[in-house]
Amino acid sequence: MERFYEAFQRRDAETMAACYAADVIFSDPVFGELHGDAARDMWRMLLSRAQEFSLTFSDVSADDHGGHAHWIASYLFSQTGRRIVNRIEAQFVLRDGLIVEHRDRFDLWRWAAQALGAKGALLGWTPFVQNAIRLQAKRGLAAWRAKVA
C-alpha cells in the first residue's frame, strides 16, 4: 500500500497498476465500481490529465489480508479549472501482496461544491446531480479507454 501511494505521489500510474491484482475491484463515489483493467485505466487517465496535482497520505496500516489509509489529493478540476482538495478514506483487501479490493470513500457533495461552485454547493447533494457526475465520469473513462486502445 505504501508503494501504491508513493507511486501516486510521483504520478506513476504503471506502478500503481502493478499493485493491483488482475481481478481487482475498485469503487468510489464518482466512478462507482470498476473491475480489472478499467480500474487501472482510471488511474492512468486521471494522472495523465492531472493539473497542479499533489497528494499526501497517512495512517497507512495493513496486514496480509487488508488495510486502510487516509489520503488527500489536491488538483485543478480540468472541466472547470476549480481547485479540489479531496479527503479520502481508503479500505483495501489484499491477496498474495496485491490489492484485490480498493474502496475509496469521500463526501461527493463536498467534492461537487469544489468542482462545480455554487451549483455543486446548492444541488450536489441531490441524486440528480450526483448521478450526472457519475455518468460523466464513466463516459470520460470510456472515451479515454477507446482513444488509447
Side-chain angles (χ1 to χ4, degrees):
M1 288 174 36
E2 296 251 350
R3 181 176 173 231
F4 180 86
Y5 286 109
E6 289 167 356
F8 201 174
Q9 283 180 319
R10 294 188 313 271
R11 297 172 63 163
D12 179 355
E14 294 312 312
T15 298
M16 292 173 69
C19 293
Y20 279 166
D23 59 344
V24 68
I25 299 170
F26 170 86
S27 68
D28 81 356
V30 171
F31 286 93
E33 191 167 284
L34 301 173
H35 297 256
D37 286 337
R40 285 181 280 281
D41 285 346
M42 176 206 56
W43 294 118
R44 290 178 179 116
M45 177 190 74
L46 291 175
L47 289 176
S48 73
R49 295 179 175 176
Q51 299 174 23
E52 297 186 30
F53 174 81
S54 68
L55 178 122
T56 60
F57 63 94
S58 61
D59 303 324
V60 176
S61 68
D63 59 25
D64 290 341
H65 306 288
H68 69 274
H70 174 77
W71 58 281
I72 301 171
S74 177
Y75 57 95
L76 290 182
F77 183 55
S78 61
Q79 294 175 1
T80 62
R82 293 179 172 275
R83 165 83 37 211
I84 305 287
V85 177
N86 200 13
R87 291 166 171 79
I88 297 107
E89 295 297 325
Q91 295 288 323
F92 297 90
V93 175
L94 305 173
R95 180 182 68 227
D96 300 326
L98 295 174
I99 299 167
V100 293
E101 286 186 35
H102 176 179
R103 304 207 181 267
D104 282 347
R105 291 187 327 266
F106 58 87
D107 185 337
L108 186 54
W109 183 9
R110 186 174 188 275
W111 182 92
Q114 293 177 78
L116 306 174
K119 175 185 172 185
L122 293 172
L123 301 173
W125 61 272
T126 66
F128 177 78
V129 170
Q130 291 188 358
N131 289 336
I133 289 167
R134 290 182 187 109
L135 181 60
Q136 187 169 357
K138 292 249 185 190
R139 284 182 177 160
L141 179 58
W144 187 88
R145 292 184 81 199
K147 184 174 132 181
V148 298

